[in-house]
Structures are given as structure tokens and as C-alpha cells.
């Protein structure tokens, strides 16, 4: 068995190679979507099953990266499409997998729009090579001094003479070729539609999720982050609206542990002997690819302006 981090791949061609290798060897791939394992996401899944919301027709998901976490992707290798696949693959694979898992469905067609609205050379009020050497440090909102971070000093700054990699590269670099703003539309096989938005410069971090079914609606939000009004906090909100015009608020306590406690639960299932998986938390290669392929298709749709079908990207058995 092979355990793989997300995203399982950054382009469709490699995805096909992974599937072919899995078929040829008869071995299995597990993709580590830790967000599935969080108590909050699991409670949403449970509510979908038990609330009587009925068949889900539409999903809206807004994901916000704050101006510290979001900006950091544009300092690093993630800002180069050829390395990361962009945020729509590297970051959003978590978000798309969450929706796929909650719906118990697979994407069929993707149409997307996006661009660079805050980062990148076109938006630069001034420009430097990297934060440590920048003459504009005192007036740059995105300036970061990593000198006190021992790990970054030793692992990155101390290796620049060998690998030439700048961990604190300017967020206005002319090398950046990914989007910081995106809107993605997805149609699923069961005809549910998803509208998804991502921005990497929000004043707070977290998401809003709305699921509307034939008999009701679920609204969820998860706010946290490094800066902004929810700095150092973990706020959950979960409500169910039924046809009787009632609002049922569900209280959830903040979870301890990294990634909302999802990492610990995932590790127990992978290595701790926990074998029961009633909620389908473990993801295989197909699930891993389905989430990545939404992002891959979205990138291609942004590039061409045309909708993309998942079936045209990879051949599943």
C-alpha cells in the first residue's frame, strides 16, 4: 500500500501514469485528506444523512486565505504553476475533496474564471527580489522577517548558495503565474452543481459552506487563522433549515490538535490499528484524482475560456 499526500498529482498525464501503475501492480494508494477526519466535517456528513434534507441540488463553498497565510504561497515554489499546479490544485484539492465526499458523487464538468488581482508584478506598488534585501521593507504590507525562525534559517536561508531557492521571495515577483482569485463551477454526475470561490488575500481565514437540498438547507462555517478578527480562535457554526421553517443550530466544541484534530484521527486509522471506517474517511486513488482533476480542469478552463470535462483528462477503468 502506498500512502500519498495531497494533491495526488498536479497534472492529468501524471494522474494517468499513477492509475496505470496501480492497475499493473495490483497495489493500492491511500491519499491523506485529513480534513475528512475532522469532527466538524464528519458532523456535516452525518447531518446530510440524518436530517432529511433530501437530494442535494446545489452547493456553494467560499474559501478564504488570510493576508498572511495566503501571501505565503506567493513567496514560495507554490507560486509557479509547473511546480504546484497553482492553488486550485495544491490548496483547493482539500476543498473539492470535501464536497465530493459530502455529496458521495464525482465531478463531470468544470468551468472556471480566475486571475492575479493582488500579487504578481502587474499589481506591484514597488518591487524587490526578496524580503531580506528589499529596500521597500518598511512600507510593504507583505514584508516578513523570518530571521527569528530557526527552521527557515537553517533549512532555506542556509542552503541558498546550493539550491538558489528564495524562501522569502517578493510576492510581486514577475515569475508568479498562478491565480490568487478564482471562481469555479462544477456539475456532478447526479446533477448537483457546485459554485466555489477562492481568494488568497482575505482579512480572515476560513470558509462558508451552503448545501441546499429538496427538503432543507445546511449552512456551515469554520473560521480560524493567523491574523484578523479570528486570530488564534477556532469558530464553528452549523445550522439546518427545514421545510417547517425551523432553524436548528448545532453546537460543536473547538477541537484540539492540528487541522481541527483531523491529523490525529487520520494517523490512528493509518498506523494505529483503527480499521472501522463508517464515514468513508480514507480516500483511494480515484478520490484523490477526482479532487485534483477539478483543479486541473479549472486551470485549463481559465487558460482557454472553455468548459472542461473530467472524462477527457484521465481514463478510469
Amino acid at each position: 500500500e502506498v500512502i500519498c499526500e495531497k494533491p495526488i498529482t498536479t497534472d492529468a498525464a501524471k494522474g494517468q501514469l499513477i492509475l496505470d501503475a496501480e492497475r499493473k501492480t495490483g497495489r493500492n494508494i491511500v491519499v491523506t485528506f485529513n480534513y475528512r477526519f475532522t469532527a466538524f466535517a464528519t458532523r456535516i456528513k452525518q447531518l446530510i444523512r440524518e436530517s432529511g434534507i433530501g437530494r442535494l441540488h446545489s452547493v456553494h463553498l467560499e474559501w478564504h486565505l488570510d493576508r498572511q497565510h495566503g501571501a505565503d504561497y506567493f513567496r514560495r515554489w507554490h507560486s509557479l504553476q509547473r511546480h504546484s499546479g497553482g492553488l486550485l490544485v495544491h490548496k483547493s484539492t482539500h476543498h473539492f475533496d470535501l464536497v465530493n465526499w459530502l455529496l458521495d458523487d464525482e465531478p463531470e464538468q468544470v468551468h472556471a474564471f480566475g486571475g492575479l488581482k493582488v500579487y504578481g508584478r502587474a499589481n506591484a506598488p514597488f518591487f524587490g527580489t526578496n524580503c531580506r534585501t528589499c529596500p521597500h521593507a518598511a512600507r510593504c504590507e507583505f514584508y516578513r522577517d523570518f530571521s527569528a525562525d530557526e527552521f527557515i534559517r537553517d533549512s532555506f536561508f542556509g542552503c541558498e548558495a546550493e539550491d538558489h531557492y528564495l524562501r522569502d521571495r517578493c510576492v510581486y515577483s514577475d515569475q508568479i503565474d498562478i491565480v490568487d482569485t478564482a471562481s469555479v463551477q462544477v456539475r456532478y454526475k447526479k446533477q448537483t452543481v457546485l459554485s466555489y470561490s477562492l481568494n488568497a488575500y482575505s482579512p480572515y481565514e476560513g470558509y462558508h459552506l451552503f448545501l441546499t437540498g429538496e427538503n432543507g438547507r445546511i449552512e456551515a462555517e469554520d473560521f480560524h487563522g493567523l491574523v484578523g478578527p479570528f486570530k488564534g480562535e477556532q469558530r464553528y457554526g452549523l445550522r439546518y433549515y427545514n421545510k417547517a421553517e425551523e432553524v436548528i443550530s448545532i453546537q460543536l466544541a473547538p477541537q484540539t490538535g492540528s487541522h481541527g484534530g483531523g491529523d490525529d484521527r487520520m494517523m490512528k486509522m493509518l498506523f494505529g490499528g483503527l480499521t472501522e471506517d463508517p464515514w468513508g474517511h480514507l480516500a483511494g486513488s480515484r478520490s484523490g484524482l477526482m479532487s485534483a482533476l477539478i483543479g486541473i480542469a479549472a486551470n485549463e478552463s481559465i487558460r482557454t475560456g472553455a468548459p472542461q470535462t473530467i472524462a477527457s483528462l484521465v481514463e478510469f477503468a
Side-chain angles (χ1 to χ4, degrees):
E1 191 168 85
V2 173
I3 298 174
C4 177
E5 246 286 21
K6 63 81 197 168
I8 191 172
T9 187
T10 57
D11 64 64
K14 293 188 185 75
Q16 190 67 64
L17 291 173
I18 291 169
L19 279 183
D20 294 344
E22 190 178 39
R23 293 184 194 123
K24 183 177 180 180
T25 62
R27 303 296 178 88
N28 296 317
I29 295 173
V30 173
V31 184
T32 54
F33 288 114
N34 50 6
Y35 200 81
R36 288 188 181 195
F37 288 83
T38 66
F40 187 55
T42 303
R43 187 66 182 89
I44 297 171
K45 178 93 168 177
Q46 182 183 22
L47 189 58
I48 291 171
R49 287 188 184 180
E50 299 177 357
S51 67
I53 191 174
R55 182 176 176 179
L56 287 169
H57 293 307
S58 70
V59 180
H60 178 68
L61 175 58
E62 300 175 7
W63 209 285
H64 309 273
L65 299 174
D66 66 41
R67 296 177 81 88
Q68 181 169 315
H69 184 198
D72 211 38
Y73 286 107
F74 294 84
R75 295 187 179 96
R76 298 181 282 167
W77 58 270
H78 308 78
S79 65
L80 304 178
Q81 191 82 21
R82 66 183 182 276
H83 292 324
S84 68
L87 288 177
L88 285 171
V89 173
H90 180 82
K91 185 65 178 174
S92 299
T93 185
H94 264 317
H95 315 158
F96 296 138
D97 176 73
L98 174 64
V99 176
N100 295 351
W101 175 67
L102 290 175
L103 293 179
D104 193 22
D105 201 358
E106 294 181 344
E108 189 174 63
Q109 188 175 57
V110 177
H111 196 188
F113 302 91
L116 265 173
K117 307 297 184 182
V118 172
Y119 309 108
R121 180 62 67 86
N123 303 299
F126 33 72
F127 176 75
T129 301
N130 64 321
C131 285
R132 279 166 294 152
T133 64
C134 185
H136 309 290
R139 56 184 178 133
C140 180
E141 173 192 357
F142 296 109
Y143 168 74
R144 289 293 305 278
D145 179 5
F146 292 102
S147 60
D149 190 315
E150 183 179 355
F151 174 77
I152 290 181
R153 286 201 323 267
D154 295 345
S155 301
F156 295 98
F157 295 169
C159 302
E160 286 176 357
E162 302 298 329
D163 61 20
H164 308 293
Y165 175 67
L166 297 178
R167 173 60 178 80
D168 61 343
R169 192 177 62 187
C170 183
V171 299
Y172 298 120
S173 170
D174 57 1
Q175 298 180 48
I176 295 171
D177 62 354
I178 66 171
V179 302
D180 59 20
T181 307
S183 177
V184 181
Q185 310 298 312
V186 183
R187 187 183 71 221
Y188 283 82
K189 290 183 177 179
K190 297 176 185 177
Q191 302 305 300
T192 305
V193 292
L194 163 68
S195 59
Y196 168 84
S197 65
L198 174 73
N199 73 66
Y201 46 87
S202 177
Y204 64 88
E205 180 126 342
Y207 71 82
H208 300 83
L209 172 66
F210 308 105
L211 305 110
T212 304
E214 57 191 354
N215 296 321
R217 176 179 170 91
I218 294 170
E219 297 183 355
E221 59 249 353
D222 176 351
F223 302 136
H224 49 276
L226 301 170
V227 297
F230 311 111
K231 178 181 179 180
E233 295 185 48
Q234 178 77 64
R235 290 195 186 182
Y236 296 120
L238 185 57
R239 296 171 299 280
Y240 169 57
Y241 299 79
N242 63 24
K243 290 174 69 175
E245 300 183 3
E246 298 170 325
V247 182
I248 302 169
S249 294
I250 299 168
Q251 303 300 315
L252 293 101
Q255 300 295 304
T256 59
S258 57
H259 292 107
D263 289 347
D264 293 339
R265 295 183 183 91
M266 183 178 69
M267 295 293 281
K268 287 179 181 178
M269 186 163 287
L270 289 172
F271 307 113
L274 181 63
T275 57
E276 295 184 1
D277 188 15
W279 298 105
H281 285 136
L282 280 181
S285 60
R286 188 178 183 105
S287 294
L289 272 173
M290 284 299 174
S291 65
L293 287 172
I294 295 177
I296 291 167
N299 283 332
E300 185 64 11
S301 181
I302 290 170
R303 188 184 71 83
T304 64
Q308 305 293 311
T309 61
I310 298 298
S312 68
L313 299 174
V314 169
E315 181 181 345
F316 290 93

